[in-house]
Structure formats: C-alpha cells, structure tokens
Amino acid sequence: MFSYLRERFTSHLRERSRRRARLVSKDGRCNIEFGNVEQSRFVFLIDIWTTILDLRWRYKMTIFISAFLGSWFLFGLLWYVVAYIHKDLPEFNPSINHTPCVENINGLTSAFLFSLETQVTIGYGFRCVTEQCATAIFLLIFQSILGVIINSFMCGAILAKISRSKNRAKTITFSKNAVISKRGGKLCLLIRVANLRKSLLIGSHIYGKLLKTTITPEGETIILDQVNIEFVVDAGNENLFFISPLTIYHIIDKNSPFFHMAAETLLQQDFELVVFLDGTVEATSATCQVRTSYIPEEVLWGYRFAPIVSKTKEGKYRVDFQNFSKTVAVDTPHCAFCLYNEKEAKAKEKKGYDNPGFVLSEVNETSDTKM
C-alpha cells in the first residue's frame, strides 16, 4: 500500500515539475524569467505607456487612485501655503477690508477641497480665486493643465487596457489534446481550434514552433531550440474562413521532426509544441495573437476528433462544443516510417520492372528417347 502511494506521489511530482517546465501555458502565458539584466529598471520609465499597459489591474488601479489623490493633496498644500503667506487664514485675524487670494479657505481641509474642486472642475462657487494674488492665478492655471494631463493619461490607459486585442484572444480556444492519425492517406498531427464569437478574425494565419533541447555537432547544447512546424487546413494556412471550428493538421513526412517518433516512444520525447494563430479583429482592426502549447503527454497517437458540426432540420448549422476536445480511437500506423514503407511497397507491387540485361536464348529440344 505504501509503495503504491509513494509511486503515485512520485509520478505526480514528476508530472507537476514537467508542467512547470513548459514555456507556454495552455492559456498562452509565457513562463520565462529574466535575470541579471544589465540595464537599469529605469529604462522602463522611458516607455511609460507600455509599462502602464502591461501592469496588472491591481497595480494599475493603485497608480490611478494614487495619482489623483496625490495631486489633489499636493495642490491642497500649495493652496494652504498661498493662504498662509497672504495671511488669509482665520488665525491671522484678517480685517474686514482684507481681500484673500482664495475665498473661504480656513485651513488645510478647505484647501484640499478647493484643490479637488479645481482639478475636477466641479466649481461649487463657495470657494473661488480673486484677482488679489498673481501667484494664486498662476497656480490655478498650472493645476488645471496638469489635471487635464493626468486625467487624459490615466483614463486613456484604462480604456486601452480594456480594449486590448489580448482580451479578444480569450474567445479563441484550442483543443485540450493534439492527435495523430491518418488524413488523406498521410499520417498527420491534428489540432482543433474554434472561434467562440460570430465576428471573424480577418487574415488569420496559423503556424507552430517545436521547442526542444538539441546538441549541435560541435557539442553545443541549445535549450529551447525552435523548429518550424507548418500547419494547414484544406484551403491553406492563410486567410482562414474562421466561422466554425477548424481542424488544422501537420503532415508528418520526411521533413517533419515527428517523422522518427513512434507511438511507443512518444512519451519518452522531450519537446513542447507551441501553436500560434495571428489575425485581425474585425470589430477594432487590431491585430491579436492566440497561442497554446502541447507536451508529449497531451499528444494522443491513434486518435481522431469526434464530429462537431451538424445540420438541423431547419437548415441551420449547429456546433456542439461538448465534442470539441472529444477523441475517437482509429487504426493508425505506429510510426510514419512504417506508413511510408508500406505505401512504397504497395506502389511497387502495382507495376512491373523490366531487366534490360535479360536476353532470351532459344533452346532446341532434342529427344534422346528411341523407339
């Protein structure tokens, strides 16, 4: 009993560590870390717009709230200083004929309220700047301009964050597993992809990268070596009519990195297949990229996808997403090399071969039998 639990626990840790090692998660996030970067982190402030957009929502909202509260409080202090220098505060006991720089500022709290009313252009009318101080007029102009800049930048950043095409990619889904089976008489690796919205992706293009560790003839070890994987559908791999789920496939021929793999050795391989789908969002004309990945445990040899599209009696086409990732076992050669040799042998059986060196010689038959 304990040996069984220990084995299950060891296999679970091994599978968990392998899942952690994948570069691209199933939802498209990249698992990579940068260390010992020589450049200072202040270089990210040069491109402050991209830095703000890449922040998580909790950090973005913290900056949003801090920017407004900080500017209101800072200018509130400046308005308090102006009133203090001009002796407009009640503690200085101003005379009846005294004209303050700002009406009805009695302390730091009222100065903060006036700063808030000025920057967000509320304008209650109870507190207002007089023509008595040029400093107050200059401060009013400066706060109004800076308030417009802060408001435009922060609201624009939030709007851009909401409307990023990255969110459109969440409505593009890939099948949980990839399968290997025969298609059109050829051994293929198949993946199913679907668009969950009725709006299309214009000019869609799909391709893949096989990531693995290779050792060059010079003895150099290359981690995450990238090999191009061509995916096609029956109409090609560009300008897809992405109105219904598509089954994309990669032909496993002699030029494919999967050619020397077999059903028995697939799980022993160490690779990660990353699939990309690029397109333009029809509604916003913004480009987006959807990606996912498959490790050897997620590639099923000898299976095909279950049918997903049907036609109703009313003449409508219906997509049943319950069968989206469902697979069905089919007869499949256990390696591409075997299928290639089998097809070559059958082709040779269908045609004859002439031997140019063959010469037919006539032989005169004589009978030695005497009667």
Side-chain angles (χ1 to χ4, degrees):
M1 181 67 180
F2 289 102
S3 60
Y4 173 77
L5 293 177
R6 184 172 60 253
E7 183 180 355
R8 288 294 302 272
F9 182 72
T10 304
S11 62
H12 173 73
L13 290 179
R14 189 185 305 112
E15 182 180 359
R16 186 176 179 182
S17 62
R18 186 161 190 171
R19 289 181 178 178
R20 285 181 179 179
R22 69 193 308 161
L23 178 64
V24 180
S25 63
K26 298 297 289 184
D27 57 358
R29 291 179 296 178
C30 295
N31 180 27
I32 192 168
E33 180 180 317
F34 297 103
N36 298 324
V37 180
E38 296 182 358
Q39 292 182 341
S40 174
R41 294 188 178 272
F42 288 102
V43 297
F44 293 100
L45 296 178
I46 299 176
D47 188 12
I48 186 63
W49 179 254
T50 306
T51 302
I52 293 295
L53 291 183
D54 289 340
L55 289 176
R56 296 181 180 272
W57 274 109
R58 54 179 176 268
Y59 301 127
K60 185 186 295 293
M61 295 306 299
T62 300
I63 295 176
F64 180 85
I65 296 173
S66 300
F68 282 102
L69 289 179
S71 62
W72 297 339
F73 184 73
L74 175 62
F75 280 99
L77 289 177
L78 295 178
W79 287 115
Y80 180 81
V81 170
V82 170
Y84 185 87
I85 295 175
H86 198 252
K87 299 183 184 303
D88 298 335
L89 300 176
E91 60 229 39
F92 294 104
N93 297 319
S95 61
I96 300 177
N97 297 327
H98 178 78
T99 303
C101 292
V102 181
E103 295 281 357
N104 299 311
I105 286 188
N106 303 318
L108 186 58
T109 302
S110 58
F112 174 80
L113 292 176
F114 178 73
S115 174
L116 171 63
E117 296 167 9
T118 301
Q119 189 163 327
V120 298
T121 64
I122 294 176
Y124 289 121
F126 182 68
R127 300 179 184 89
C128 60
V129 178
T130 64
E131 68 277 7
Q132 185 68 24
C133 299
T135 304
I137 297 175
F138 173 79
L139 185 59
L140 177 65
I141 296 174
F142 183 72
Q143 184 178 5
S144 300
I145 295 175
L146 186 61
V148 171
I149 295 175
I150 295 176
N151 187 63
S152 301
F153 184 86
M154 298 308 301
C155 293
I158 291 180
L159 180 61
K161 180 79 171 179
I162 296 174
S163 61
R164 291 183 75 177
S165 57
K166 185 177 180 181
N167 297 326
R168 176 64 174 93
K170 296 183 182 299
T171 55
I172 305 296
T173 180
F174 288 88
S175 58
K176 181 180 179 181
N177 297 303
V179 298
I180 295 179
S181 60
K182 292 175 63 177
R183 186 183 182 94
K186 301 177 182 179
L187 192 64
C188 300
L189 183 143
L190 301 96
I191 297 173
R192 180 171 276 174
V193 58
N195 178 17
L196 302 181
R197 290 186 179 273
K198 292 186 178 180
S199 59
L200 301 179
L201 285 181
I202 304 173
S204 300
H205 172 65
I206 194 161
Y207 57 97
K209 299 286 184 181
L210 187 69
L211 309 179
K212 59 180 181 178
T213 301
T214 59
I215 301 177
T216 63
E218 295 77 16
E220 180 185 2
T221 302
I222 302 178
I223 301 178
L224 297 180
D225 186 24
Q226 300 184 15
V227 180
N228 289 327
I229 302 294
E230 294 293 334
F231 282 97
V232 295
V233 293
D234 294 334
N237 64 340
E238 293 185 356
N239 299 324
L240 305 178
F241 185 47
F242 207 5
I243 191 64
S244 63
L246 298 176
T247 300
I248 61 174
Y249 60 91
H250 163 71
I251 301 176
I252 303 178
D253 53 12
K254 292 184 177 181
N255 298 323
S256 172
F258 295 95
F259 184 76
H260 298 286
M261 299 182 188
E264 298 81 5
T265 62
L266 180 63
L267 295 180
Q268 301 173 6
Q269 304 294 326
D270 185 16
F271 67 84
E272 181 178 352
L273 175 61
V274 184
V275 184
F276 303 87
L277 174 64
D278 298 339
T280 303
V281 181
E282 185 179 27
T284 61
S285 299
T287 58
C288 72
Q289 182 183 86
V290 194
R291 52 186 175 265
T292 189
S293 68
Y294 299 92
I295 57 178
E297 289 81 3
E298 297 169 345
V299 179
L300 306 179
W301 196 295
Y303 289 83
R304 65 172 174 82
F305 291 110
I308 192 174
V309 181
S310 61
K311 192 173 184 179
T312 62
K313 296 181 180 180
E314 294 79 12
K316 294 183 179 181
Y317 293 93
R318 183 176 184 272
V319 179
D320 186 7
F321 280 94
Q322 186 177 0
N323 295 337
F324 180 72
S325 294
K326 186 178 180 180
T327 56
V328 179
V330 292
D331 293 334
T332 306
H334 70 92
C335 66
F337 188 74
C338 299
L339 177 63
Y340 178 79
N341 288 342
E342 180 183 352
K343 294 176 63 176
E344 186 177 359
K346 290 182 179 179
K348 288 182 179 180
E349 290 178 358
K350 293 182 180 179
K351 59 182 180 179
Y353 291 89
D354 294 332
N355 187 359
F358 178 77
V359 178
L360 178 63
S361 59
E362 295 182 358
V363 179
N364 294 327
E365 297 182 358
T366 58
S367 177
D368 295 337
T369 305
K370 293 182 180 181
M371 296 299 293

